[in-house]
Amino acid sequence: MNIPVKVPVFLSVLVLLAPRVLQAEPRTFTLQDCVAYGLEHSLALRNAAIDEAVVQSRVDAVDGAYDPRLHGQLSYTDSQIRDATSLFLSDRQLTAGELSLGKAFSSGTRVELRVEHSRIEAGGELSTLLTEPYSSVAALSLSQSILRNAFGQADRARRRGADAGGTAARLAYEREAELLAGRVADAYWDVQMARKNFDTGRDSLSRAQRLLETNRIRVDDGLLDETDLLSFEALIATRRVEVLSLSNAVANTTDALKNMMQLPRDEWGTVQIANEGSVLKITLNCEEAASSKEDDSLSVIFRTDPARVRKDLAAVAALVSQAEAKLEMRASEFRHDLRLFGEVGRGSSAEDLDGSIEFDDDAWSVGVMLDVGWGRTAERSALEEARLLHEKAVNNRKALNAAVELECSVADRNLHNGWERVVETRRARDLQQKKLALEQEKFEQGRSAINLIVQYEDDFALASQGHNVALASYQKAIVQYRLAHGEVPVLGVKMDK
C-alpha cells in the first residue's frame, strides 16, 4: 500500500534556492588582476604566439637543410643493349646496392660517404676476360661552391634571415602583450570614471531630495513660493535621469572591460571590479618629486630612450636585418656557379664475394663544374624583389621612428597636462562645493533664492564630474606614457610568457 508523503513547504523553498546558494562567491579583480587575466586569455595574444611559433618552425626548417641525409638504393637490371659502358658485353644481368650518408655545412661544403656493391652476369665469349662478376667500393666525396654560394655566403644569409624573423616575431608578441595591457588598463579606468560620476550624480540627487523635504515644509508654512518648489522637483527629475544614464554607463564600461579581458560571458556575474582608492601621481625626475607638494604619494619614473627599450622598434630593426639577409642571399643566387669537387675511394673486384670486399685498389677523381645561366629572368626578378622589400623595410623603420618620436612627445605633454588638469579640477570642485555650502546657509537665513541653489548644485555636480574625468584621463596618460617609452604599462603584472 502506497502512502503519499507530503513534502514540507520549507524544503521546497530550499530546493528552489539551492542553485543560488551554491553559486560561486563573487571574485574581485583589481587592475593588476584584470591585466593578468587578459594576458592569459586574450585571443589576439594567442594569435601572436601562433605567429611566433610559425616563424620558429621556419627557423627550424632552415636548420633542417644541414641535417645528415641517409640514402639507400637496391636495383636489378636485365639488358641486352650494348652501351658505352658495356661495349663487349651483351645479355647482362646486374644486381647493385648503394648506401650513402651526406651532410651539408654552413660553409657551402658538402661531404658524402658512399658504399657500393654490385654483381654482374653477362653472356658472350669475352665476358670472363673483360669483367669480374663482383665489385665493391667505399668513397668519400667533397664539393665546394666558389661563386654562387661562395663558401656558404647564401647559407649564412638564409640563417641570419631566419633568426631575424624569429626575433621580430618574439618582439611583436611582447609588444602586443604591452598594448593589450594598455587597452585593459584604459577600460579599467573608464569603469572607475563611470563609477565616480555615478556616485557624484547619486549624491547630488540625495542632497536635492533632502532639500525638497525641507522646502515642502516651508511651502506649507507660507515661507516659500510653490514655484520655487517646482524648480526643485524639476531638478530632482533631471538628477534621476542623469543617475539612470550614469548607472547605464557603469554597466556598459564594466561589460567592455570584461569583454576586453576575454572573460567568458557566463562568468560576468561572478566577477566584480575593485574600486580604486587614491590616485597616484608620477614624476619624470627626482628633482620634480622633491619639490612637488601636491600629493604625498609620488612614484618616480625616469625618462627612457624608446629606441633602446621599445619592442616594436626592435622588431622593425630585426625585419630590416631579415630583408638585408634575403637581399644578400638573392644576390648570391644570381651569380654564375663554379664548383670544385673531388673523391677518394677504396675498392676491389673479384670472381667471388670474399675477394670483392678486400678493398685493395685505390680510386680518386677531381674536377671543376661551371654553371653559366643565360638570361636568368627568374633569378633577376627575385633579386629585384628582394631589393624592393629591403627598401620598404628601411622606409618602415624610418616611419616608425618618426611616429614613436611624436608618440613620446604627445605622451609627455599629456602626462604633464593631465596632472595639471587633476589639480585644477580638484580646486574647481572644492570651490564649487564651498560656494554651494555658503549659498545654502544664506538660503536657510532667507538671504538667497532657491534658483541659485539649483544653479550652484548643477555647478558643483559638473565640477565633480570634470574632476572624475581628469583623474581617469591622468591614469590613462600614465599608461600611455609608459607604453610610449617602452616600459611596463601596468606595474605589478608579469609580462613574460
Side-chain angles (χ1 to χ4, degrees):
M1 179 177 181
N2 296 329
I3 302 176
V5 179
K6 295 184 179 180
V7 180
V9 177
F10 75 93
L11 289 181
S12 302
V13 174
L14 288 178
V15 171
L16 293 176
L17 295 180
R20 295 185 180 182
V21 174
L22 296 177
Q23 280 183 347
E25 289 294 329
R27 295 172 293 170
T28 301
F29 278 22
T30 63
L31 172 59
Q32 289 74 16
D33 295 331
C34 293
V35 174
Y37 190 94
L39 293 176
E40 184 178 358
H41 298 85
S42 171
L43 297 179
L45 201 57
R46 291 180 182 178
N47 286 338
I50 292 175
D51 293 338
E52 182 182 1
V54 170
V55 174
Q56 185 58 48
S57 66
R58 295 174 182 172
V59 175
D60 296 339
V62 172
D63 292 337
Y66 306 114
D67 292 341
R69 299 297 176 92
L70 182 65
H71 173 74
Q73 179 177 333
L74 182 63
S75 64
Y76 175 78
T77 304
D78 189 341
S79 175
Q80 297 180 358
I81 302 175
R82 294 179 178 177
D83 54 30
T85 61
S86 58
L87 184 60
F88 300 101
L89 299 178
S90 63
D91 190 16
R92 65 189 184 280
Q93 294 83 38
L94 176 63
T95 303
E98 175 184 345
L99 186 65
S100 62
L101 178 64
K103 179 173 174 54
F105 296 89
S106 59
S107 60
T109 306
R110 178 170 179 81
V111 178
E112 183 181 69
L113 177 62
R114 186 180 75 258
V115 177
E116 297 179 358
H117 180 76
S118 63
R119 178 178 182 274
I120 187 171
E121 295 180 3
E125 298 177 353
L126 299 177
S127 61
T128 57
L129 301 176
L130 296 177
T131 184
E132 294 177 327
Y134 292 93
S135 64
S136 300
V137 62
L140 177 66
S141 61
L142 177 71
S143 65
Q144 176 66 58
S145 178
I146 303 299
L147 294 180
R148 180 172 298 171
N149 187 18
F151 298 98
Q153 180 182 8
D155 291 340
R156 290 192 298 273
R158 184 178 292 106
R159 178 54 193 266
R160 286 199 308 273
D163 290 340
T167 301
R170 175 179 54 81
L171 292 169
Y173 172 86
E174 295 176 358
R175 184 58 181 176
E176 178 61 28
E178 293 176 349
L179 294 176
L180 174 64
R183 292 192 293 269
V184 173
D186 284 350
Y188 178 86
W189 289 115
D190 286 338
V191 173
Q192 302 302 321
M193 177 184 65
R195 284 179 173 177
K196 290 181 181 296
N197 286 339
F198 172 75
D199 293 340
T200 299
R202 183 181 56 187
D203 294 342
S204 178
L205 177 61
S206 299
R207 289 192 301 269
Q209 287 175 336
R210 288 195 300 269
L211 189 57
L212 176 63
E213 297 301 327
T214 302
N215 291 336
R216 282 176 176 171
I217 298 175
R218 292 183 177 182
V219 170
D220 296 337
D221 296 339
L223 301 177
L224 188 66
D225 189 75
E226 189 175 357
T227 304
D228 295 334
L229 182 64
L230 292 177
S231 298
F232 242 87
E233 290 179 347
L235 172 64
I236 290 178
T238 303
R239 286 287 179 268
R240 286 172 178 168
V241 174
E242 292 179 355
V243 168
L244 288 175
S245 177
L246 294 173
S247 175
N248 187 60
V250 172
N252 289 340
T253 54
T254 303
D255 289 350
L257 172 59
K258 293 177 180 179
N259 183 70
M260 181 69 67
M261 294 162 49
Q262 299 289 304
L263 185 70
R265 190 61 181 263
D266 56 355
E267 297 182 16
W268 283 18
T270 63
V271 173
Q272 298 177 353
I273 306 302
N275 286 318
E276 284 295 328
S278 60
V279 176
L280 182 66
K281 178 182 184 297
I282 69 170
T283 58
L284 299 182
N285 50 59
C286 295
E287 290 76 11
E288 183 180 347
S291 61
S292 177
K293 298 181 180 180
E294 296 290 347
D295 201 314
D296 295 333
S297 58
L298 298 179
S299 174
V300 178
I301 188 169
F302 294 95
R303 188 186 304 276
T304 55
D305 181 13
R308 183 173 57 86
V309 294
R310 279 194 54 151
K311 304 296 192 304
D312 50 353
L313 287 177
V316 170
L319 292 177
V320 172
S321 300
Q322 184 185 38
E324 291 175 350
K326 190 171 183 179
L327 179 59
E328 183 180 350
M329 183 181 65
R330 296 303 186 192
S332 178
E333 293 175 350
F334 183 70
R335 301 189 187 102
H336 303 297
D337 193 18
L338 179 64
R339 179 179 295 271
L340 301 179
F341 62 88
E343 181 178 283
V344 294
R346 296 278 294 181
S348 61
S349 59
E351 295 182 356
D352 54 6
L353 177 62
D354 294 337
S356 65
I357 59 176
E358 293 180 356
F359 298 98
D360 296 331
D361 303 325
D362 296 328
W364 62 273
S365 65
V366 293
V368 59
M369 182 186 69
L370 178 64
D371 183 12
V372 178
W374 298 101
R376 293 180 296 173
T377 303
E379 293 84 350
R380 192 185 304 275
S381 299
L383 178 59
E384 179 63 16
E385 179 184 354
R387 186 191 66 79
L388 293 174
L389 291 177
H390 175 259
E391 183 179 353
K392 180 180 178 180
V394 173
N395 292 338
N396 289 339
R397 181 174 59 182
K398 292 179 180 179
L400 184 59
N401 283 330
V404 168
E405 291 178 0
L406 176 61
E407 182 182 351
C408 289
S409 63
V410 171
D412 295 349
R413 189 182 307 113
N414 289 343
L415 187 64
H416 290 288
N417 180 264
W419 181 248
E420 293 175 359
R421 285 182 59 195
V422 170
V423 174
E424 295 300 328
T425 54
R426 180 173 59 192
R427 183 178 293 113
R429 180 202 61 188
D430 295 342
L431 290 175
Q432 293 290 352
Q433 185 178 20
K434 184 177 181 180
K435 183 180 72 172
L436 176 61
L438 292 176
E439 199 64 27
Q440 286 176 340
E441 291 180 3
K442 292 170 60 178
F443 181 77
E444 294 292 338
Q445 298 170 2
R447 296 185 297 113
S448 178
I450 195 171
N451 60 332
L452 291 179
I453 300 295
V454 174
Q455 178 182 347
Y456 290 173
E457 181 67 38
D458 286 338
D459 294 341
F460 175 57
L462 291 176
S464 299
Q465 292 180 1
H467 181 60
N468 297 335
V469 173
L471 287 175
S473 299
Y474 178 67
Q475 295 300 323
K476 290 184 178 182
I478 294 176
V479 173
Q480 296 305 318
Y481 175 87
R482 290 189 172 121
L483 282 174
H485 289 269
E487 300 177 0
V488 177
V490 178
L491 300 178
V493 179
K494 185 179 179 181
M495 302 297 296
D496 300 334
K497 290 183 181 180

